[in-house]
Each structure stands twice: as structure tokens, then as C-alpha cells.
Amino acid sequence: MTRVVVVDDQTLVRHGIRTLLDIAHVEVVGEADDGAAALEVIAQEAPDVVLLDLRMPRYDGLWTLRQLRDRGIEVPVLVLTTFDDDTLVLDALQSGARGYLLKDVTVKQLTHAVQTLADGGTLIAPSITDRLLRAIRTGAVPTPEAAVPAQDLTEREREVLRLMAEGYPNRQIAQALFLAEGTVKNHVSTILLKLGARDRTNAVLRALRDGLLR
């Protein structure tokens, strides 16, 4: 059974998520109401996935993501929030989030996302992905000029990126890595967002520039 920690400052929301996940046979092994408490619970329970709200008093979600990254704690984090601001989404992904969903998702969508992250994948709400990629292409949102630290890309994302650099289309990447083509598409979208790239070619150029393909 997949083990999850829920981090949200609202008690009612945490309990609601716990109830829904229990029904779907996902075990909630801990709860926290801010980032500092989350780090303690994560260290104690070593969950498979963390569900993380972004806007919390004291130590918020972005602080928590950066602390996990800086401490080398490689637990998959699924942001579950009401905020879909473009800059906030990019900040979360560049800080190490592996998934991003809004709280209006269905139980089926949530449990699918949890299992996807537990299995090593990434998942971002398609509406957010499409909007962000359009915004990046048109220059409507800022793209990072600084190098993206290699640890901000998961090992699977780096594998996909290497095959992208060799010119493989999604179908061939899926065959090479024994993944579903839809899963590869999700990985490619996440890579573009993390690198602030307009398209696959731009992502590869940024990766070569920043030494991510070594």
C-alpha cells in the first residue's frame, strides 16, 4: 500500500484528504500543518509520496520543497493547492516538486497522481501544463536564465532528456524506457517547464549549456 504524508495548514482539509485516500486504499501515515512539522514527519515516516499545500503560515510549501532538496531528501512531492499562478507553479517545479494538481481534482485523479509519483513518474494538471507552455513560448512568463541544478531533474527525467537530445520522439523514448507514451509526454512537459524551455529543441540546448547531459 502506498504511504502518504499530507501537509496542509487546514485541519479540515487534511482530514478530508485522509478520508478520501483511505477509501482509495492509500495509507496516510502522517500529517503536518507547516513545513517545519512536515520535515519532522517525513523523517520519521519515510513516506512514498508527500501531498503538499503551498500557501501556509510560517514555513510554506516552497520553503519545504527547498529544504527537502537541500537536505538531499528524495521523497516525491505532489503539490495539491488552490493556486495555479504561473510563476508559483514554475517555482514549485524548479524547487523539486514532481507533481502539481489543484484541489478540485477527483479522487480518481488524485490517487492516480499519487501512484504515478510513487512509481517514479511526474504528473502536472494538463490545463496548467498547456497554459504554462503557451506562456513560455510567447514570453508571457519569465524563463530562468540561471542553470537548473541537476538534482532538480529526477533520474527518469534526465534519461528522457538524454533521449530527447538524441532526437528520439516520444514513442521511441517510451519503447526504450519501457514506459507508456502518455507517461513520456508528462515527463517531457515537466522537463520543458523546469528548464523554462519553449520546445524540445530549446530544452536540449539549455541542457547542453548547463551541463545537464553529462
Side-chain angles (χ1 to χ4, degrees):
M1 183 180 291
T2 304
R3 304 169 70 255
V4 170
V5 164
V6 179
V7 185
D8 195 294
D9 63 311
Q10 298 184 34
T11 303
L12 187 62
V13 171
R14 293 198 310 273
H15 289 180
I17 293 173
R18 175 188 284 272
T19 300
L20 293 174
L21 291 179
D22 282 344
I23 294 172
H25 305 293
V26 175
E27 183 182 7
V28 177
V29 297
E31 298 179 15
D33 61 1
D34 77 345
L39 293 178
E40 293 181 7
V41 175
I42 292 167
Q44 292 170 1
E45 300 294 341
D48 299 309
V49 177
V50 174
L51 298 186
L52 178 68
D53 191 16
L54 287 183
R55 295 290 173 85
M56 298 181 290
R58 299 185 299 277
Y59 301 103
D60 65 12
L62 290 176
W63 180 91
T64 306
L65 285 166
R66 290 162 185 160
Q67 286 294 310
L68 290 171
R69 180 189 64 193
D70 294 345
R71 298 182 187 194
I73 302 173
E74 297 184 355
V75 59
V77 177
L78 172 64
V79 170
L80 185 62
T81 184
T82 57
F83 300 96
D84 65 347
D85 174 82
D86 291 348
T87 302
L88 194 59
V89 176
L90 288 173
D91 282 345
L93 293 173
Q94 290 164 4
S95 295
R98 294 260 297 277
Y100 200 109
L101 292 179
L102 301 179
K103 287 181 178 177
D104 61 356
V105 294
T106 65
V107 177
K108 184 177 181 179
Q109 289 170 328
L110 177 59
T111 54
H112 172 67
V114 168
Q115 194 57 55
T116 296
L117 265 66
D119 292 341
T122 58
L123 196 148
I124 303 170
S127 60
I128 294 176
T129 302
D130 293 343
R131 190 185 72 238
L132 275 177
L133 291 177
R134 285 197 302 270
I136 288 172
R137 292 187 186 107
T138 60
V141 296
T143 57
E145 293 300 327
V148 175
Q151 65 265 28
D152 284 359
L153 294 177
T154 67
E155 181 57 36
R156 179 64 80 188
E157 288 164 358
R158 288 196 290 270
E159 290 175 343
V160 172
L161 183 58
R162 292 186 192 104
L163 292 175
M164 287 168 57
E166 294 177 23
Y168 282 56
N170 287 353
R171 179 171 296 179
Q172 291 184 6
I173 293 175
Q175 293 171 348
L177 299 179
F178 303 101
L179 298 172
E181 190 171 349
T183 300
V184 172
K185 183 178 178 181
N186 283 338
H187 282 309
V188 171
S189 294
T190 303
I191 290 166
L192 295 182
L193 292 175
K194 284 186 174 182
L195 297 181
R198 294 183 298 276
D199 51 38
R200 296 166 71 103
T201 301
N202 188 245
V204 170
L205 290 174
R206 284 176 178 265
L208 288 169
R209 181 198 67 186
D210 298 339
L212 300 182
L213 295 176
R214 292 171 185 167

